[in-house]
Amino acid sequence: MPTTAPWNPTVLWSKPEAERAGTPLLVLFHGYLANEEDLMGLADHLPSEFTIASVRAPQAQGPGYTWFPLMNEPDFSVQRVVDAVTDVSDWLDGVKGVHSSVSLLGFSMGMAVASTLLRHRPADFAAVVGLSGFVVPSDGNPFFKDGELAAGRVPFFWGRDQADPVIDAPRIEFTHAWLNEHTALTKILYSNMGHGINMQELGHVKEFLTHMVLKG
């Protein structure tokens, strides 16, 4: 039987390898058509105690990369999401051992990656941050252990603009209902932010991570 080589993504780290042991890890997942550099600018606005790892999505597309096809594209499937997140989970297993905890932050499509990781490994993460993003329906796929997650209620921060022009109303409604049912949700709405991140939101994310992970 042929074996597939483990996924070895391009990753930007906020600390050199010699300084990571014992620190909490925060893994960043960028949005559609972006790359690992897109979110590293957030590092200066987040708690310095964290080691931050920003991961590049596996599939080159347009000017950047994508984790899986968009949900309105004909080749989208839940299995495509599962395949991408399985690779991320396997990579994370190889790096998380030296860290005191692991938290996740995803922007837009990256929030779908972060939340799917949480749903696959409900006991593995201290907290999750989702920015201007969404959660994918599981369609009954056993990869998603939502029952276990609902029992544990991991802290989840969800920030967005009520008038976000990118994430449509059905996905917002599904995401809101799902997060309320399965996580300890902190939801904050921002005005005039569009499909992006602003300084007020970053301040709230810093407070959330400090309270839930560093002081939790």
Side-chain angles (χ1 to χ4, degrees):
M1 292 287 290
T3 58
T4 302
W7 186 50
N8 184 27
T10 297
V11 183
L12 291 179
W13 294 88
S14 65
K15 299 181 190 295
E17 189 170 1
E19 298 176 13
R20 298 174 198 164
T23 63
L25 176 64
L26 178 64
V27 186
L28 310 185
F29 302 105
H30 63 75
Y32 183 64
L33 303 186
N35 61 36
E36 71 283 0
E37 297 178 359
D38 187 55
L39 296 179
M40 276 307 282
L42 306 184
D44 290 342
H45 305 284
L46 299 174
S48 60
E49 293 90 341
F50 282 88
T51 292
I52 295 173
S54 187
V55 184
R56 178 191 292 178
Q59 301 169 34
Q61 186 154 337
Y65 298 84
T66 187
W67 299 96
F68 48 83
L70 293 174
M71 291 179 70
N72 60 0
E73 293 179 340
D75 55 346
F76 172 84
S77 67
V78 171
Q79 189 59 49
R80 296 288 293 269
V81 180
V82 167
D83 291 345
V85 173
T86 296
D87 284 343
V88 175
S89 182
D90 291 346
W91 165 79
L92 192 52
D93 281 345
V95 301
K96 68 183 183 181
V98 302
H99 294 281
S100 57
S101 67
V102 182
S103 299
L104 309 172
L105 183 155
F107 173 76
S108 194
M109 181 186 279
M111 177 176 163
V113 176
S115 57
T116 301
L117 262 176
L118 173 67
R119 298 163 77 180
H120 180 55
R121 297 276 189 89
D124 281 17
F125 305 107
V128 180
V129 174
L131 306 178
S132 300
F134 59 94
V135 170
V136 297
S138 68
D139 290 353
N141 192 304
F143 187 81
F144 298 81
K145 299 176 173 63
D146 286 0
E148 293 177 30
L149 180 59
R153 297 280 174 172
V154 174
F156 201 113
F157 179 98
W158 185 32
R160 54 178 290 267
D161 188 330
Q162 185 89 31
D164 186 325
V166 173
I167 310 301
D168 60 25
R171 280 190 290 175
I172 291 298
E173 291 168 9
F174 175 84
T175 298
H176 191 194
W178 186 91
L179 288 171
N180 273 325
E181 185 176 347
H182 295 89
T183 71
L185 177 61
T186 298
K187 184 189 76 167
I188 304 181
L189 297 175
Y190 301 90
S191 299
N192 303 313
M193 186 173 71
H195 190 65
I197 302 168
N198 66 19
M199 293 304 298
Q200 182 186 24
E201 184 177 41
L202 282 175
H204 291 149
V205 171
K206 184 175 183 178
E207 292 174 9
F208 173 83
L209 290 171
T210 297
H211 180 69
M212 296 299 180
V213 181
L214 301 182
K215 297 181 179 178

